[in-house]
Amino acid sequence: MVWTDWTLDRTLVLFTSAAYLLVAVQVTMSHYRQNFHQKIMLAPVISAPLYFVVGIALVLLNRSWLFTLFHICMWLGVLSGLYGFYLHVKGVGKRVGDYAPRNFLIGPPVVMPLLYTAIGLLGLIAIYGR
């Protein structure tokens, strides 16, 4: 992968990295509000900034090992987002009233892990769409 200018895949990697940084801020605030009552809540707080750093390094340095690392990170982002979706849906069901509509409003946000997954998919599109 050789970048001599700002191609679409390079731009997508940059956008994906920036999106993970923004999601890192949101997920950190949300999980901090819940006092990290489960250790797994630290996973996106740690991994999202890592994905940002790897993506920015790939955009700026364009090394093959960074490309491989970014590829792995994006798959991890997709899989961990899907697992987070499962945990969030399960968390909504633990509230009084199970899956009542109000519990989707006040419980864990079920869409946020899907956003995490979608950003990882965008990174994979940048990789496989070349």
Side-chain angles (χ1 to χ4, degrees), residues 3-15 59-60:
W3 285 332
T4 56
D5 56 0
W6 283 91
T7 58
L8 180 60
D9 52 344
R10 187 178 188 184
T11 306
L12 282 176
V13 170
L14 177 66
F15 181 81
V59 167
L60 297 177

Side-chain angles (χ1 to χ4, degrees), residues 20-83:
Y20 267 121
L21 179 64
L22 296 173
V23 166
V25 172
Q26 180 62 47
V27 77
T28 300
M29 290 188 302
S30 296
H31 288 177
Y32 177 78
R33 183 182 65 193
Q34 296 300 317
N35 295 319
F36 295 101
H37 67 274
Q38 293 182 3
K39 299 273 188 236
I40 195 71
M41 294 172 91
L42 288 169
V45 171
I46 294 169
S47 63
L50 176 68
Y51 301 162
F52 165 74
V53 170
V54 170
I56 293 299
L58 176 60
V59 167
L60 297 177
L61 302 176
N62 190 24
R63 302 287 187 263
S64 62
W65 66 272
L66 282 170
F67 179 79
T68 303
L69 184 59
F70 183 77
H71 189 185
I72 292 167
C73 286
M74 293 303 99
W75 276 111
L76 287 173
V78 168
L79 295 175
S80 64
L82 291 173
Y83 184 61

Side-chain angles (χ1 to χ4, degrees), residues 84-124:
F85 175 70
Y86 164 75
L87 292 175
H88 279 219
V89 169
K90 189 174 150 184
V92 169
K94 288 182 178 179
R95 295 187 161 279
V96 174
D98 291 327
Y99 293 101
R102 65 181 163 77
N103 287 340
F104 283 95
L105 296 173
I106 60 173
V110 295
V111 176
M112 192 63 172
L114 293 177
L115 176 63
Y116 202 85
T117 298
I119 295 170
L121 288 173
L122 181 64
L124 291 174

